[in-house]
Amino acid sequence: MTETAPDAALDVVIVNWNGGALLRACLASLAAAESHLGNTLSLRVVVVDNASRDGSLEDLPSLRHGPAVIANPDNQGFGRACNAGAARGQAPAILFLNPDARVTGESLAGAHAALMAEPGTGIVGAQLLDEAGRVQRSCARRPSAVSLVGQALLLDRARLVPSHFMTEWDHGEDRAVDQVMGAFLMIRRSLFTALGGFDERFFVYYEDVDLCARAWDAGLAVRHLAGITVRHEGQGTTRAAKAHRLACFLESQIRYAAKHHGRATALALVATAFGAQVPLRLVQALARRSREEAGEIVRGAGLLARALPGLMRAIGTR
């Protein structure tokens, strides 16, 4: 085991699920960043593995302090795994980083300095670039009851309700935003502790939306840093699990609606999931003559249907 870093300035938490090569490349970028930073910003890296079956934890690159590894016996979800990783450290700032992200010393130091320089800022995110160097328009609006239902009915495409992601904005300047993506989300530990961490009822998806919303409610800002760039592949560890991804997305959307907008909105989203979202996705897949995609959509709907009794009980207790 690599020596610990009790005096680390930044704890980096990476949740992995069958990330394999992506995880190793992410850690390699952290090792290079650590070498560049020297003693100017000490890091402690924790990898939380959600029962990967692809040998993800083999031959991991070494860092000065880590990576420490938590190997879960089963897939415990993103939020719960993040909380477990954060609990391993004591640094004043925590970076939640996806395995499909690549950082540099400049991006880590710049984001950390921006976060800690302004007491009114609780969370910062970076400008995410795809593999071709294009800016991913990843900042998002806080969902309202109307926007959640409208987006489920595809009304955002007709501009009758705003889209979730701020696709109309080029992400070219620093500014306060409702939400930054959890692929690179740096937060003050004091705020993370005060908020009780990620809400573990979200297995995956919407946990970052919820965390940013609660940060704003606590009086601290969420900021996008255009000058801090991070490479991000996108859906790196969930791309192959399309049915599971769809079911988790729809369930988390419903849970978010119940938590923030009440039972009626959540029930409306249950209805739109089966009455609009799944059928519309299925029509689009068939129009593309993709039987495989259509099959994944049907399987995803089946997974959501099996989860529905427990989800309805949860909605009833909100």
PDB file of all heavy atoms in Angstrom, residues 76-106:
ATOM      1  N   GLN A  76     -22.668  -0.562  -6.060  1.00  0.00           N
ATOM      2  CA  GLN A  76     -23.422   0.190  -5.058  1.00  0.00           C
ATOM      3  C   GLN A  76     -23.892   1.547  -5.555  1.00  0.00           C
ATOM      4  O   GLN A  76     -24.442   2.333  -4.787  1.00  0.00           O
ATOM      5  CB  GLN A  76     -22.582   0.333  -3.793  1.00  0.00           C
ATOM      6  CG  GLN A  76     -22.244  -1.009  -3.169  1.00  0.00           C
ATOM      7  CD  GLN A  76     -21.503  -0.899  -1.852  1.00  0.00           C
ATOM      8  OE1 GLN A  76     -21.329   0.190  -1.315  1.00  0.00           O
ATOM      9  NE2 GLN A  76     -21.057  -2.027  -1.339  1.00  0.00           N
ATOM     10  N   GLY A  77     -23.680   1.814  -6.838  1.00  0.00           N
ATOM     11  CA  GLY A  77     -24.141   3.078  -7.396  1.00  0.00           C
ATOM     12  C   GLY A  77     -23.107   4.169  -7.265  1.00  0.00           C
ATOM     13  O   GLY A  77     -22.142   4.074  -6.495  1.00  0.00           O
ATOM     14  N   PHE A  78     -23.316   5.238  -8.026  1.00  0.00           N
ATOM     15  CA  PHE A  78     -22.331   6.310  -8.098  1.00  0.00           C
ATOM     16  C   PHE A  78     -22.270   7.143  -6.815  1.00  0.00           C
ATOM     17  O   PHE A  78     -21.207   7.353  -6.246  1.00  0.00           O
ATOM     18  CB  PHE A  78     -22.646   7.208  -9.299  1.00  0.00           C
ATOM     19  CG  PHE A  78     -21.656   8.322  -9.486  1.00  0.00           C
ATOM     20  CD1 PHE A  78     -20.414   8.077 -10.050  1.00  0.00           C
ATOM     21  CD2 PHE A  78     -21.968   9.619  -9.112  1.00  0.00           C
ATOM     22  CE1 PHE A  78     -19.494   9.108 -10.228  1.00  0.00           C
ATOM     23  CE2 PHE A  78     -21.062  10.653  -9.282  1.00  0.00           C
ATOM     24  CZ  PHE A  78     -19.816  10.398  -9.845  1.00  0.00           C
ATOM     25  N   GLY A  79     -23.414   7.629  -6.351  1.00  0.00           N
ATOM     26  CA  GLY A  79     -23.417   8.505  -5.192  1.00  0.00           C
ATOM     27  C   GLY A  79     -22.874   7.854  -3.943  1.00  0.00           C
ATOM     28  O   GLY A  79     -22.059   8.432  -3.229  1.00  0.00           O
ATOM     29  N   ARG A  80     -23.300   6.626  -3.674  1.00  0.00           N
ATOM     30  CA  ARG A  80     -22.823   5.919  -2.486  1.00  0.00           C
ATOM     31  C   ARG A  80     -21.326   5.664  -2.568  1.00  0.00           C
ATOM     32  O   ARG A  80     -20.599   5.805  -1.575  1.00  0.00           O
ATOM     33  CB  ARG A  80     -23.576   4.604  -2.330  1.00  0.00           C
ATOM     34  CG  ARG A  80     -23.140   3.785  -1.122  1.00  0.00           C
ATOM     35  CD  ARG A  80     -24.027   2.581  -0.911  1.00  0.00           C
ATOM     36  NE  ARG A  80     -25.386   2.986  -0.566  1.00  0.00           N
ATOM     37  CZ  ARG A  80     -26.383   2.146  -0.341  1.00  0.00           C
ATOM     38  NH1 ARG A  80     -26.189   0.844  -0.459  1.00  0.00           N
ATOM     39  NH2 ARG A  80     -27.588   2.593  -0.035  1.00  0.00           N
ATOM     40  N   ALA A  81     -20.853   5.302  -3.759  1.00  0.00           N
ATOM     41  CA  ALA A  81     -19.419   5.068  -3.929  1.00  0.00           C
ATOM     42  C   ALA A  81     -18.628   6.358  -3.754  1.00  0.00           C
ATOM     43  O   ALA A  81     -17.552   6.366  -3.142  1.00  0.00           O
ATOM     44  CB  ALA A  81     -19.153   4.463  -5.303  1.00  0.00           C
ATOM     45  N   CYS A  82     -19.147   7.462  -4.273  1.00  0.00           N
ATOM     46  CA  CYS A  82     -18.489   8.765  -4.076  1.00  0.00           C
ATOM     47  C   CYS A  82     -18.383   9.102  -2.591  1.00  0.00           C
ATOM     48  O   CYS A  82     -17.341   9.568  -2.119  1.00  0.00           O
ATOM     49  CB  CYS A  82     -19.265   9.865  -4.789  1.00  0.00           C
ATOM     50  SG  CYS A  82     -19.003   9.959  -6.568  1.00  0.00           S
ATOM     51  N   ASN A  83     -19.450   8.887  -1.863  1.00  0.00           N
ATOM     52  CA  ASN A  83     -19.441   9.189  -0.433  1.00  0.00           C
ATOM     53  C   ASN A  83     -18.406   8.342   0.300  1.00  0.00           C
ATOM     54  O   ASN A  83     -17.709   8.833   1.195  1.00  0.00           O
ATOM     55  CB  ASN A  83     -20.828   8.947   0.161  1.00  0.00           C
ATOM     56  CG  ASN A  83     -21.844   9.975  -0.297  1.00  0.00           C
ATOM     57  OD1 ASN A  83     -21.484  11.028  -0.824  1.00  0.00           O
ATOM     58  ND2 ASN A  83     -23.111   9.677  -0.102  1.00  0.00           N
ATOM     59  N   ALA A  84     -18.300   7.075  -0.077  1.00  0.00           N
ATOM     60  CA  ALA A  84     -17.321   6.191   0.558  1.00  0.00           C
ATOM     61  C   ALA A  84     -15.899   6.659   0.257  1.00  0.00           C
ATOM     62  O   ALA A  84     -15.027   6.657   1.128  1.00  0.00           O
ATOM     63  CB  ALA A  84     -17.521   4.756   0.085  1.00  0.00           C
ATOM     64  N   GLY A  85     -15.653   7.060  -0.976  1.00  0.00           N
ATOM     65  CA  GLY A  85     -14.328   7.551  -1.332  1.00  0.00           C
ATOM     66  C   GLY A  85     -13.985   8.841  -0.621  1.00  0.00           C
ATOM     67  O   GLY A  85     -12.859   9.019  -0.129  1.00  0.00           O
ATOM     68  N   ALA A  86     -14.946   9.752  -0.541  1.00  0.00           N
ATOM     69  CA  ALA A  86     -14.702  11.030   0.135  1.00  0.00           C
ATOM     70  C   ALA A  86     -14.400  10.827   1.616  1.00  0.00           C
ATOM     71  O   ALA A  86     -13.597  11.566   2.206  1.00  0.00           O
ATOM     72  CB  ALA A  86     -15.908  11.947  -0.031  1.00  0.00           C
ATOM     73  N   ALA A  87     -15.029   9.824   2.218  1.00  0.00           N
ATOM     74  CA  ALA A  87     -14.832   9.559   3.641  1.00  0.00           C
ATOM     75  C   ALA A  87     -13.423   9.090   3.958  1.00  0.00           C
ATOM     76  O   ALA A  87     -13.001   9.137   5.120  1.00  0.00           O
ATOM     77  CB  ALA A  87     -15.846   8.525   4.124  1.00  0.00           C
ATOM     78  N   ARG A  88     -12.675   8.645   2.947  1.00  0.00           N
ATOM     79  CA  ARG A  88     -11.307   8.187   3.163  1.00  0.00           C
ATOM     80  C   ARG A  88     -10.315   9.334   3.339  1.00  0.00           C
ATOM     81  O   ARG A  88      -9.178   9.116   3.726  1.00  0.00           O
ATOM     82  CB  ARG A  88     -10.858   7.331   1.981  1.00  0.00           C
ATOM     83  CG  ARG A  88     -11.414   5.919   1.965  1.00  0.00           C
ATOM     84  CD  ARG A  88     -10.806   5.078   3.083  1.00  0.00           C
ATOM     85  NE  ARG A  88     -11.234   3.692   3.014  1.00  0.00           N
ATOM     86  CZ  ARG A  88     -10.566   2.727   2.391  1.00  0.00           C
ATOM     87  NH1 ARG A  88      -9.427   3.014   1.765  1.00  0.00           N
ATOM     88  NH2 ARG A  88     -11.027   1.495   2.381  1.00  0.00           N
ATOM     89  N   GLY A  89     -10.712  10.556   3.014  1.00  0.00           N
ATOM     90  CA  GLY A  89      -9.786  11.680   3.069  1.00  0.00           C
ATOM     91  C   GLY A  89     -10.222  12.767   4.031  1.00  0.00           C
ATOM     92  O   GLY A  89     -11.304  12.700   4.621  1.00  0.00           O
ATOM     93  N   GLN A  90      -9.364  13.771   4.155  1.00  0.00           N
ATOM     94  CA  GLN A  90      -9.644  14.906   5.036  1.00  0.00           C
ATOM     95  C   GLN A  90      -9.312  16.238   4.382  1.00  0.00           C
ATOM     96  O   GLN A  90      -9.381  17.279   5.023  1.00  0.00           O
ATOM     97  CB  GLN A  90      -8.832  14.769   6.327  1.00  0.00           C
ATOM     98  CG  GLN A  90      -9.109  13.510   7.128  1.00  0.00           C
ATOM     99  CD  GLN A  90      -8.224  13.391   8.353  1.00  0.00           C
ATOM    100  OE1 GLN A  90      -7.314  14.209   8.563  1.00  0.00           O
ATOM    101  NE2 GLN A  90      -8.460  12.386   9.171  1.00  0.00           N
ATOM    102  N   ALA A  91      -8.948  16.230   3.104  1.00  0.00           N
ATOM    103  CA  ALA A  91      -8.525  17.456   2.435  1.00  0.00           C
ATOM    104  C   ALA A  91      -9.655  18.477   2.411  1.00  0.00           C
ATOM    105  O   ALA A  91     -10.836  18.116   2.378  1.00  0.00           O
ATOM    106  CB  ALA A  91      -8.075  17.146   1.014  1.00  0.00           C
ATOM    107  N   PRO A  92      -9.326  19.761   2.391  1.00  0.00           N
ATOM    108  CA  PRO A  92     -10.359  20.814   2.373  1.00  0.00           C
ATOM    109  C   PRO A  92     -11.184  20.839   1.090  1.00  0.00           C
ATOM    110  O   PRO A  92     -12.257  21.427   1.074  1.00  0.00           O
ATOM    111  CB  PRO A  92      -9.544  22.105   2.500  1.00  0.00           C
ATOM    112  CG  PRO A  92      -8.221  21.700   3.054  1.00  0.00           C
ATOM    113  CD  PRO A  92      -7.973  20.316   2.544  1.00  0.00           C
ATOM    114  N   ALA A  93     -10.687  20.203   0.029  1.00  0.00           N
ATOM    115  CA  ALA A  93     -11.428  20.157  -1.235  1.00  0.00           C
ATOM    116  C   ALA A  93     -11.442  18.730  -1.756  1.00  0.00           C
ATOM    117  O   ALA A  93     -10.497  17.966  -1.560  1.00  0.00           O
ATOM    118  CB  ALA A  93     -10.794  21.090  -2.265  1.00  0.00           C
ATOM    119  N   ILE A  94     -12.538  18.378  -2.422  1.00  0.00           N
ATOM    120  CA  ILE A  94     -12.713  17.042  -3.001  1.00  0.00           C
ATOM    121  C   ILE A  94     -13.027  17.202  -4.476  1.00  0.00           C
ATOM    122  O   ILE A  94     -13.900  17.997  -4.849  1.00  0.00           O
ATOM    123  CB  ILE A  94     -13.869  16.279  -2.330  1.00  0.00           C
ATOM    124  CG1 ILE A  94     -13.769  16.328  -0.800  1.00  0.00           C
ATOM    125  CG2 ILE A  94     -13.905  14.828  -2.816  1.00  0.00           C
ATOM    126  CD1 ILE A  94     -15.047  15.862  -0.101  1.00  0.00           C
ATOM    127  N   LEU A  95     -12.340  16.441  -5.303  1.00  0.00           N
ATOM    128  CA  LEU A  95     -12.646  16.395  -6.729  1.00  0.00           C
ATOM    129  C   LEU A  95     -13.244  15.040  -7.057  1.00  0.00           C
ATOM    130  O   LEU A  95     -12.618  14.003  -6.836  1.00  0.00           O
ATOM    131  CB  LEU A  95     -11.378  16.604  -7.564  1.00  0.00           C
ATOM    132  CG  LEU A  95     -11.528  16.350  -9.073  1.00  0.00           C
ATOM    133  CD1 LEU A  95     -12.538  17.316  -9.701  1.00  0.00           C
ATOM    134  CD2 LEU A  95     -10.179  16.440  -9.778  1.00  0.00           C
ATOM    135  N   PHE A  96     -14.471  15.058  -7.578  1.00  0.00           N
ATOM    136  CA  PHE A  96     -15.083  13.842  -8.097  1.00  0.00           C
ATOM    137  C   PHE A  96     -14.807  13.810  -9.595  1.00  0.00           C
ATOM    138  O   PHE A  96     -15.194  14.727 -10.336  1.00  0.00           O
ATOM    139  CB  PHE A  96     -16.581  13.822  -7.784  1.00  0.00           C
ATOM    140  CG  PHE A  96     -16.852  13.764  -6.312  1.00  0.00           C
ATOM    141  CD1 PHE A  96     -17.222  14.905  -5.611  1.00  0.00           C
ATOM    142  CD2 PHE A  96     -16.691  12.578  -5.609  1.00  0.00           C
ATOM    143  CE1 PHE A  96     -17.443  14.856  -4.241  1.00  0.00           C
ATOM    144  CE2 PHE A  96     -16.916  12.517  -4.237  1.00  0.00           C
ATOM    145  CZ  PHE A  96     -17.289  13.668  -3.552  1.00  0.00           C
ATOM    146  N   LEU A  97     -14.097  12.771 -10.010  1.00  0.00           N
ATOM    147  CA  LEU A  97     -13.563  12.701 -11.366  1.00  0.00           C
ATOM    148  C   LEU A  97     -13.968  11.388 -12.014  1.00  0.00           C
ATOM    149  O   LEU A  97     -13.768  10.313 -11.433  1.00  0.00           O
ATOM    150  CB  LEU A  97     -12.033  12.812 -11.301  1.00  0.00           C
ATOM    151  CG  LEU A  97     -11.267  12.882 -12.622  1.00  0.00           C
ATOM    152  CD1 LEU A  97     -11.561  14.189 -13.348  1.00  0.00           C
ATOM    153  CD2 LEU A  97      -9.770  12.753 -12.348  1.00  0.00           C
ATOM    154  N   ASN A  98     -14.522  11.457 -13.221  1.00  0.00           N
ATOM    155  CA  ASN A  98     -14.888  10.237 -13.934  1.00  0.00           C
ATOM    156  C   ASN A  98     -13.659   9.548 -14.514  1.00  0.00           C
ATOM    157  O   ASN A  98     -12.693  10.216 -14.891  1.00  0.00           O
ATOM    158  CB  ASN A  98     -15.865  10.561 -15.067  1.00  0.00           C
ATOM    159  CG  ASN A  98     -17.298  10.654 -14.602  1.00  0.00           C
ATOM    160  OD1 ASN A  98     -17.577  10.665 -13.403  1.00  0.00           O
ATOM    161  ND2 ASN A  98     -18.214  10.740 -15.543  1.00  0.00           N
ATOM    162  N   PRO A  99     -13.700   8.224 -14.651  1.00  0.00           N
ATOM    163  CA  PRO A  99     -12.559   7.516 -15.241  1.00  0.00           C
ATOM    164  C   PRO A  99     -12.265   7.918 -16.681  1.00  0.00           C
ATOM    165  O   PRO A  99     -11.149   7.735 -17.163  1.00  0.00           O
ATOM    166  CB  PRO A  99     -12.972   6.043 -15.166  1.00  0.00           C
ATOM    167  CG  PRO A  99     -14.022   5.986 -14.122  1.00  0.00           C
ATOM    168  CD  PRO A  99     -14.737   7.296 -14.175  1.00  0.00           C
ATOM    169  N   ASP A 100     -13.269   8.451 -17.387  1.00  0.00           N
ATOM    170  CA  ASP A 100     -13.059   8.830 -18.788  1.00  0.00           C
ATOM    171  C   ASP A 100     -12.610  10.280 -18.937  1.00  0.00           C
ATOM    172  O   ASP A 100     -12.698  10.862 -20.018  1.00  0.00           O
ATOM    173  CB  ASP A 100     -14.318   8.573 -19.616  1.00  0.00           C
ATOM    174  CG  ASP A 100     -15.541   9.324 -19.108  1.00  0.00           C
ATOM    175  OD1 ASP A 100     -15.453   9.970 -18.049  1.00  0.00           O
ATOM    176  OD2 ASP A 100     -16.589   9.261 -19.778  1.00  0.00           O
ATOM    177  N   ALA A 101     -12.107  10.871 -17.837  1.00  0.00           N
ATOM    178  CA  ALA A 101     -11.585  12.235 -17.865  1.00  0.00           C
ATOM    179  C   ALA A 101     -10.062  12.211 -17.794  1.00  0.00           C
ATOM    180  O   ALA A 101      -9.475  11.294 -17.206  1.00  0.00           O
ATOM    181  CB  ALA A 101     -12.149  13.053 -16.710  1.00  0.00           C
ATOM    182  N   ARG A 102      -9.429  13.226 -18.378  1.00  0.00           N
ATOM    183  CA  ARG A 102      -7.970  13.376 -18.354  1.00  0.00           C
ATOM    184  C   ARG A 102      -7.651  14.766 -17.856  1.00  0.00           C
ATOM    185  O   ARG A 102      -8.094  15.759 -18.449  1.00  0.00           O
ATOM    186  CB  ARG A 102      -7.369  13.198 -19.758  1.00  0.00           C
ATOM    187  CG  ARG A 102      -7.843  11.969 -20.508  1.00  0.00           C
ATOM    188  CD  ARG A 102      -7.222  10.693 -19.969  1.00  0.00           C
ATOM    189  NE  ARG A 102      -7.782   9.543 -20.675  1.00  0.00           N
ATOM    190  CZ  ARG A 102      -8.857   8.892 -20.273  1.00  0.00           C
ATOM    191  NH1 ARG A 102      -9.481   9.246 -19.160  1.00  0.00           N
ATOM    192  NH2 ARG A 102      -9.326   7.856 -20.956  1.00  0.00           N
ATOM    193  N   VAL A 103      -6.884  14.857 -16.786  1.00  0.00           N
ATOM    194  CA  VAL A 103      -6.566  16.140 -16.185  1.00  0.00           C
ATOM    195  C   VAL A 103      -5.103  16.488 -16.420  1.00  0.00           C
ATOM    196  O   VAL A 103      -4.300  15.657 -16.847  1.00  0.00           O
ATOM    197  CB  VAL A 103      -6.867  16.127 -14.672  1.00  0.00           C
ATOM    198  CG1 VAL A 103      -8.347  15.886 -14.418  1.00  0.00           C
ATOM    199  CG2 VAL A 103      -6.006  15.085 -13.961  1.00  0.00           C
ATOM    200  N   THR A 104      -4.777  17.739 -16.108  1.00  0.00           N
ATOM    201  CA  THR A 104      -3.392  18.208 -16.128  1.00  0.00           C
ATOM    202  C   THR A 104      -3.100  18.892 -14.802  1.00  0.00           C
ATOM    203  O   THR A 104      -4.035  19.213 -14.035  1.00  0.00           O
ATOM    204  CB  THR A 104      -3.150  19.206 -17.266  1.00  0.00           C
ATOM    205  OG1 THR A 104      -3.968  20.383 -17.034  1.00  0.00           O
ATOM    206  CG2 THR A 104      -3.485  18.595 -18.622  1.00  0.00           C
ATOM    207  N   GLY A 105      -1.836  19.137 -14.543  1.00  0.00           N
ATOM    208  CA  GLY A 105      -1.486  19.882 -13.342  1.00  0.00           C
ATOM    209  C   GLY A 105      -2.117  21.262 -13.333  1.00  0.00           C
ATOM    210  O   GLY A 105      -2.587  21.741 -12.294  1.00  0.00           O
ATOM    211  N   GLU A 106      -2.149  21.894 -14.505  1.00  0.00           N
ATOM    212  CA  GLU A 106      -2.743  23.236 -14.597  1.00  0.00           C
ATOM    213  C   GLU A 106      -4.232  23.212 -14.291  1.00  0.00           C
ATOM    214  O   GLU A 106      -4.748  24.105 -13.600  1.00  0.00           O
ATOM    215  CB  GLU A 106      -2.515  23.820 -15.997  1.00  0.00           C
ATOM    216  CG  GLU A 106      -1.081  24.184 -16.316  1.00  0.00           C
ATOM    217  CD  GLU A 106      -0.292  22.996 -16.869  1.00  0.00           C
ATOM    218  OE1 GLU A 106      -0.807  21.847 -16.838  1.00  0.00           O
ATOM    219  OE2 GLU A 106       0.844  23.230 -17.322  1.00  0.00           O
TER     220      GLU A 106
END
